[in-house]
Amino acid sequence: MTYIHDTIVKLQKTSPAQAEFYQAVEEVLDSLQPILETNEKYKLHSIIERMVEPERQIMFRVPWVDDQGKVQVNKGYRIEFNSALGPYKGGLRFHPSVNAGIIKFLGFEQIFKNALTGLPIGGGKGGANFDPKGKSDGEIMRFCQSFINELYRHIGPTTDVPAGDIGVGAREIGYMFGQYKRLTGNYDGVFTGKSLLWGGSLVRKEATGYGCVYFAQYMLADKGDSLAGKQCLVSGAGNVAIYTIEKLYELGARPVTCSDSSGTLYHEAGIDLATLKELKEVRKARLSEYLAAHPDARFIPVTDYPADGHAVWRIPAQLAFPCATQNELTEADAQALVANGVIAVSEGANMPSTQDAVEVFLDAKICYGPGKAANAGGVATSQLEMAQNASMQRWSFEEVDEKLKVIMKNIYLSASTTAAEFGEPHNLVLGANIAGFRKVADAMIEQGVV
Ligand code: NDP
Ligand code: 2IT
């Protein structure tokens, strides 16, 4: 389609060197073909041209002093992408790979993901090219304070509400909230993913992983199948991976892998969740240390990975949950999964499968839940945290978990009925993109040229 080509060429010119952003845009535009062809109004209002351009991009210097007294400098970002449906909402990522293109792809995905939740939240994302690995608690605190010294003036409980992502959890949210409060004097719901001691919501920590498993459950139920007894591959060993593994056990499945940037852990007896939590949540240690407690497990270092992909996806299993990072599942990985009989893939991470890998899943007609649908439970529960903060209420674990299940079910139904409406019932990429797009685009038209 020429408009896809033209849009990408224009982005390459006006926003150079943002490969992940072009990838995310291309996937969405590709899905939108059937609706753009039949609806002149989107063209008339230049919806695509407006949607791919963030409403606002904030880029700033983050200077801080390390434990040796040396001044360090990082790049900070907040991209306020689209506020048609509500205040900008989306996480902050602290990882050395962060750049404007990464934050833009994440912010773009967030627009459609947030729309799919059915909740009143717009799309945004931020972060820094800061590497939290090996940093002391004091260094983390000083970095977070410096980051907020600039960001505080751009955020607020009804304007832009950040949360966590890679490298940002409750500890970092605590330091950032503390500095925001000091600078503004406001005690409000400007962040989500807060500690349970001071305004956080029950289930927020678990929500992305739990939601991703609920999504798999709904995809399988539609085929008359369930999670019970299924062998599962999980990648990543952070927040999303840990609570994916926890929920898989609760629903009778057997997760046998997890991974971090140093390698893949394969434990045929099933990953021991208590050991994993102790390693990653308490000690912040490397995954290979798991072997000390479980010598029957195997650790495959990244140096032993196949040249065309990742060891984790080469292990035979029925279900796969990519929960680490973007483009961590290649075309060859997807082919290996399908050849080994995988029946469902539910993405906890954002854009973990390359475009070619997605094609392999769609061609094989397996159940494939794209990230913007399958991992939306995290941001949805963030909005439940905002609702509790705004109404000064506190809901029980069961209440929030019940709402999360209903939201995930509705996301699944919205993606699957939209896919069926456009004649490709198995294609949840198409269904999720069109369903999310329609809500945002129609709101943009009603709000005029802004
Ligand atoms: P964490 O920081 O808690 O964990 C990230 C995990 O992924 C770690 O095991 C990390 O390994 C691994 N990882 C990260 N980057 C790379 C990389 N470049 N190469 C190899 N491994 C890597 O983050 P989360 O669990 O919160 O996030 C995981 C994914 O889920 C991300 O794609 C995020 O955008 C997405 N997501 C998160 C949500 C949330 O609520 N937190 C909501 C929706 C999506 P190591 O420690 O060695 O770096
Ligand atoms: O990618 C995501 O949806 C997140 N990191 C969570 C965002 C949020 O605001 O909870």
Side-chain angles (χ1 to χ4, degrees):
M1 287 297 282
T2 56
Y3 81 92
I4 302 181
H5 177 258
D6 293 350
T7 306
I8 300 295
V9 168
K10 193 171 165 200
L11 287 178
Q12 284 168 341
K13 276 199 191 129
T14 56
S15 305
Q18 300 189 344
E20 292 83 2
F21 176 51
Y22 315 144
Q23 180 184 342
V25 171
E26 197 166 345
E27 184 216 274
V28 170
L29 294 189
D30 196 42
S31 298
L32 296 180
Q33 285 185 43
I35 187 169
L36 294 179
E37 274 162 14
T38 51
N39 280 277
E40 272 299 306
K41 62 178 176 177
Y42 298 129
K43 203 184 281 176
L44 187 68
H45 292 273
S46 294
I47 289 297
I48 297 299
E49 290 85 339
R50 283 199 273 160
M51 244 184 216
V52 299
E53 197 56 41
E55 289 177 16
R56 193 173 299 104
Q57 306 188 55
I58 303 142
M59 301 189 192
F60 50 100
R61 179 172 74 195
V62 190
W64 56 282
V65 181
D66 69 18
D67 285 349
Q68 283 69 48
K70 188 171 181 309
V71 177
Q72 301 281 351
V73 183
N74 287 98
K75 283 177 173 295
Y77 304 86
R78 185 73 184 168
I79 299 200
E80 300 181 332
F81 225 120
N82 193 302
S83 61
L85 296 182
Y88 309 105
K89 183 81 197 86
L92 296 170
R93 175 178 292 192
F94 292 170
H95 192 271
S97 63
V98 162
N99 58 40
I102 296 277
I103 299 299
K104 254 171 106 174
F105 115 66
L106 289 163
F108 188 71
E109 290 284 288
Q110 201 81 43
I111 303 171
F112 305 96
K113 182 196 302 193
N114 293 4
L116 278 172
T117 66
L119 301 166
I121 39 180
K125 197 86 189 189
N129 65 344
F130 171 75
D131 188 357
K133 281 200 192 78
K135 301 290 188 296
S136 70
D137 203 53
E139 288 176 324
I140 298 281
M141 182 182 75
R142 291 194 295 281
F143 177 81
C144 289
Q145 290 176 339
S146 180
F147 187 82
I148 289 302
N149 282 344
E150 173 57 35
L151 193 65
Y152 86 94
R153 68 187 97 244
H154 307 289
I155 58 177
T158 59
T159 51
D160 184 353
V161 186
D165 193 82
I166 291 177
V168 178
R171 174 180 60 164
E172 290 74 21
I173 295 290
Y175 292 144
M176 288 193 274
F177 176 74
Q179 188 70 356
Y180 167 87
K181 179 163 59 79
R182 184 172 191 191
L183 291 168
T184 63
N186 296 335
Y187 204 115
D188 56 33
V190 66
F191 287 97
T192 60
K194 300 184 291 294
S195 157
L196 296 175
L197 295 176
W198 45 272
S201 172
L202 287 158
V203 194
R204 175 60 190 90
K205 181 175 69 174
E206 296 83 357
T208 311
Y210 280 18
C212 171
V213 176
Y214 295 147
F215 197 87
Q217 195 181 20
Y218 300 133
M219 288 195 294
L220 290 170
D222 240 3
K223 307 251 184 232
D225 207 341
S226 78
L227 292 161
K230 301 281 190 308
Q231 170 141 318
C232 309
L233 305 177
V234 177
S235 67
N239 171 266
V240 179
I242 288 172
Y243 293 95
T244 294
I245 290 173
E246 181 166 289
K247 185 52 75 178
L248 283 173
Y249 276 127
E250 280 177 27
L251 296 176
R254 185 159 56 101
V256 295
T257 65
C258 56
S259 66
D260 66 11
S261 57
S262 57
T264 293
L265 182 72
Y266 175 37
H267 196 174
E268 208 182 343
I271 296 292
D272 184 66
L273 187 60
T275 307
L276 180 65
K277 282 188 178 179
E278 164 71 17
L279 277 179
K280 288 294 178 184
E281 294 190 326
V282 184
R283 289 173 43 209
K284 304 199 186 295
R286 304 313 295 162
L287 206 48
S288 49
E289 291 183 36
Y290 181 96
L291 297 186
H294 301 280
D296 58 322
R298 220 177 106 207
F299 186 74
I300 309 159
V302 281
T303 45
D304 291 352
Y305 280 14
D308 55 1
H310 305 81
V312 61
W313 311 124
R314 307 303 169 95
I315 295 161
Q318 292 140 305
L319 307 176
F321 298 85
C323 297
T325 193
Q326 65 275 355
N327 293 328
E328 55 157 319
L329 196 160
T330 64
E331 181 180 20
D333 292 331
Q335 284 161 345
L337 283 167
V338 170
N340 282 330
V342 81
I343 55 172
V345 177
S346 188
E347 295 183 339
N350 284 305
M351 207 169 74
S353 305
T354 65
Q355 269 169 315
D356 292 337
V358 174
E359 287 306 320
V360 171
F361 295 142
L362 294 178
D363 288 348
K365 293 200 161 47
I366 60 158
C367 297
Y368 170 63
K372 65 169 73 71
N375 74 37
V379 75
T381 309
S382 274
Q383 198 280 344
L384 302 180
E385 184 171 328
M386 290 163 70
Q388 291 169 81
N389 292 161
S391 61
M392 299 186 188
Q393 290 181 50
R394 179 134 204 227
W395 303 335
S396 69
F397 192 96
E398 292 69 27
E399 238 174 317
V400 182
D401 193 29
E402 202 43 51
K403 287 182 199 290
L404 172 62
K405 283 182 195 164
V406 172
I407 291 167
M408 295 314 295
K409 178 137 216 183
N410 287 337
I411 294 173
Y412 174 68
L413 288 175
S414 164
S416 56
T417 53
T418 308
E421 181 189 334
F422 286 87
E424 294 191 42
H426 78 284
N427 189 342
L428 298 182
V429 177
L430 181 108
N433 283 330
I434 293 185
F437 170 82
R438 274 207 285 225
K439 288 186 195 176
V440 181
D442 292 342
M444 284 173 74
I445 291 172
E446 288 180 10
Q447 291 171 15
V449 181
V450 291

